Amino acid sequence: MTEPQPFSPKSVALLEEIRKKYPTGRAALMPALYVAQEEFGWLRPEALKAVAEFLGLPEMTVRSTATFYSMYRHRKAGRNVIRLCTNVSCMVLGAGTLKGVLGNVYGLAPGGTSPDGRFSLEVADCIGACGKGPAMIVNDDLHTGLDAKKILEVLENYK
Amino acid sequence: MILITINGKKIELDGPVTIFEAARRNGIDIPSLCHHPALELWGGCRMCLVEIEKMPRLQTSCTVKAADGMAVYTETPRVVAARKAMLEFLLINHPLQCPTCDKAGECALQDLTVRYGAVAGRFEEGKRTFPENVDDPVIVRNMERCIMCTRCVRMCDGVQGAFAIGVVGRGAGSHVEPFSGGRYNCEYCGNCLNVCPVGAIMSRLHRYTYRPWQMDKTVKTICSFCGVGCTILLEVRGDAIQKVSPAFGKGVNNGLLCGRGMFGYGYAGSPERLKTPLVRKDGKLVPASWDEALALAARRLLEVKAQHGGRAIAGIAGGRCTNEENYAFQKFMRAGLGSNNIDSTARLGLLHAQDLLEGIFGQGAAANVIRGIPHSDAVLVVACDPTRTNPVMGLQVRAASKAGKKVVAIGHAPGLKRHMTHHLSAAFGHEGIALAGLLRELLRQKKALPGENPEFEAAIMGFSELPSPEEVRRLAGVPEAALTQAAEALKDVSTSSIIAGRELAASMDAKRNFMLLAAIGYVLNSRFFLVSEHPNEQGLIDMGCTPDMLPGGRPLALQTFRERCEHEWGARLDPEPGLTLMEMFEQAGGAIRAMYIMGENPAFNLPGRKKIKEALEKKLDFLVVQDIFLTETASLADVVLPSKAWSEKEGTYTNLEKRIQKLAQATGKNHEAGMEDWRILALIGRLAGLGNMPYASASDIIDEIARVSPLHAGLRYEDLEEDGMMWPYKGKPLRMSGGMQPLPAAKAAATLDRREEDTGQTGPALVIEKPLFHSGSLSRHSGALLDIMGGPEAKMAPGTAAGLGICEGGSVKISTAEGEMVLKAKLEKGLPAGAIFAGNNFGDAGALGLFGYELEPGSKTPVPRAEGLEITPL
Ligand code: SF4
Ligand code: SF4
Ligand code: SF4
Ligand code: FES
Ligand code: FES
């Protein structure tokens, strides 16, 4: 009579690895949240509960910690997440225009998801590529030196 | 010795305390918002800033310890300016809803703004907004008012140990909420509300019904729900309880409460209260005058007595009635009616547990201070979950855990899941086997026994055939490693506390269980605590509401003592002990012809319900019931006499520590409907010419108790101020602890029956769930508790459900030889496999009705049995 396991075997393996690296469940929480986010798409309540159960932490502790950080996805996201930097350097180099392009072409507003579920847009505060702005991160990939044309070319590679 | 000055005043301190505390002790008021004496230090609000000579910056007095030679100033212009600045910051985002906020008048932020003067806000940005949240039945959340002091979170995490709420979001978006963002689904202790300095989280029970300054009075009294006996404050307006408030710094509970105590008070003002006496006419209960009802009761009791003798009458005392009422009850039964057939629901376990423990360690073996629990090195919780049955005692176990002490639980204790260091997950009813295994391991691992009592130690060493860890796994389902590790953790403690549940005594193996418990207690130098479900369960035992004991715990068999009572009461006493609780019902219609039941509901609260109802309804010639509601039992009576609720009378309760505490009358001055139970008895006694009860008040009865009971000798009502009085009061116990008796028949008793079933193979088991929010007959009439948990359910682990083909929310039929019941299934992870939990809290679905019983031969304690259990999904 075993309870159903909310994580896939792959995630469980990752989580086991993480748990081994940290002395307490609390210490392992932040990396574990990334795994859950991968598995569940975003940190929806089920994801937080699953992490809590896996690490033996109170659900509320997990939620408090998770919501403190803006790098986690706290909303349902599209298949690809765009983090467009709009901090000073990138803004000066034209990030505002790019935001407009994403709006016109994909119907994306900051914090929103395109109607076809293909992209979500988060505006980020400096992603450390200031010298080569405007910059964005799509999923795990960094793209720099963007302009209105290049951004669309890049995004064509994400379905 | 530490010498400091505060505002020039010289202050001597004998230990290191914070400046804030030093000031408070000396009557110097330093404002604070985030500091609370019940909580961990935090130092976040900066309202308590003070100036200290030679320190360049202002310091938070709530976190800085006073050091020798410090010169502290609490209201310099610099300090005042800083506080004003803090208030300005707080008010930027504060909605200033004082005209409609329930907290206005007792709000710390409002008071401080008045004290330091309002500031003209210089911020032009809009205030943050959060809609008021009313998703929860009893807690309303208004996060715009929150000042982020985190008192509530520190309370819920650090003290309550429920981890139900937390700060969500960051920066200006931070707010406090439960995991769901809506309903709390928590332990509903209300302790978070009680420490919130502003109106951000409040009880919905009294929302918008009054302003704090409109309260007529605040009355300090004792909670009416369980044997912890928490001190509470009743806030009264008109003749109604408006709210229960905590009394931090006072009582057994030091201001902490549980859901029943905090939110359950509504029953006293329930419209379902009995308003007049009722008498049965043509088979129906109809309202009657007091004169008529009392006369009828007196006449019929006399008739039964004349016809069948006093022994044909049986009485059941009430664990919710006061000491005075229970004393009057047994006197009425013994001296008036001539019957020793007096018992109570303490027979379900507490009485036997106490007898066994006192038989070994002497009277008062379980009279220990609850607040001492966290000071022992280890806590052993056996066959109970104190966080459910006696929640505030449970908090002390959690406090022990927080303080790094060992907490070992034997059996099912879900409320300690996060707080125990070791869990011996013995199957239900098999906790004794785990005890035996633990003792064996302790004896094996310990270098030496304490050596205090060689005779006792010889008896312990003589225990034969204690089971090996492997056997304990096989017989009780406890993993071997858990057992050896628990013993390892316990073996070197210098003091410990043992908390035992009544199920350990409601067992055919009760003697063995308590021998083992006593032996472990001896080895670990333990103090004992017995959980107690009713607020005066202990008191009724001490008052002589048992078939064989007189007040003060003196055996009826003692002639000198009997004579003392006879002399005081002016009547001859029957030297033969009477019938016990279950025997009374078994013999109804035969030896027993009439029953008198005071504040108890046996037609609901006992196993074997079908037979009991039949006995009450058909087999008795006459049944009198005193109660505040028309309970299952009262509705079968010939005469029903309405009594007063706990908030309407004076008197005393004795808690599970054996501490006597005073109730205070808060409401009911104009309540003509009910009378104190003792008053009703006295009136019937007078009409029938029985007994002599010339009392005008509860305090008169205390005086008599003090004359009759050697234990209470010299006790006066007036002596019970502040925190009541601990056992042995001013009197003499029968046998002091220390005079430990050798374990009688220890060898035989500790031998396990190796034929006991292999628990791995048993089918589903039905377990009576003791929910945190309900106690039974009273809580059903409390609207708030019903809102929190509205109805019965059958709880089980998802795996168990899957095995039985049951799904969440589906209907489950549970049937036994005693009857059947359909409940909604609720799946909960982590419950023991195979167990189906159902409560005995709701009228039509009290799961105790599915249990029959067998009597433990010596004590006549009913051991519940669910024979022929079948569980079918519908
Ligand atoms: S009522 Fe008690 S358990 Fe619930 S959130 Fe408040 S402190 Fe925590
Ligand atoms: S809700 Fe009350 S107690 Fe909790 S952080 Fe806000 S102001 Fe403080
Ligand atoms: S622990 Fe017991 S006495 Fe204390 S508030 Fe809760 S029910 Fe009342
Ligand atoms: S400002 Fe855009 S990457 Fe730093
Ligand atoms: S009371 Fe000292 S910082 Fe809040």
Side-chain angles (χ1 to χ4, degrees), chain B residues 561-577:
Chain B
F561 192 62
R562 226 167 41 237
E563 279 166 2
R564 182 172 180 163
C565 293
E566 286 175 343
H567 177 253
E568 179 69 38
W569 298 344
R572 306 274 317 147
L573 297 188
D574 183 347
E576 281 296 307

Side-chain angles (χ1 to χ4, degrees), chain B residues 14-92:
Chain B
D14 40 17
V17 295
T18 61
I19 296 172
F20 186 91
E21 177 60 19
R24 192 196 58 81
R25 286 187 200 167
N26 287 277
I28 299 166
D29 178 41
I30 300 179
S32 72
L33 284 172
C34 70
H35 177 73
H36 191 282
L39 303 175
E40 271 177 22
L41 300 179
W42 195 57
C45 75
R46 318 201 79 74
M47 272 322 285
C48 66
L49 290 174
V50 293
E51 198 165 339
I52 304 174
E53 254 173 37
K54 302 203 189 82
M55 287 188 153
R57 280 198 227 146
L58 299 179
Q59 302 290 320
T60 47
S61 61
C62 70
T63 57
V64 175
K65 293 254 162 60
D68 205 34
M70 267 185 181
V72 180
Y73 299 93
T74 67
E75 298 284 335
T76 62
R78 231 179 115 203
V79 166
V80 170
R83 287 188 193 144
K84 266 185 111 149
M86 286 307 142
L87 284 170
E88 184 180 350
F89 273 121
L90 288 174
L91 293 178
I92 291 170

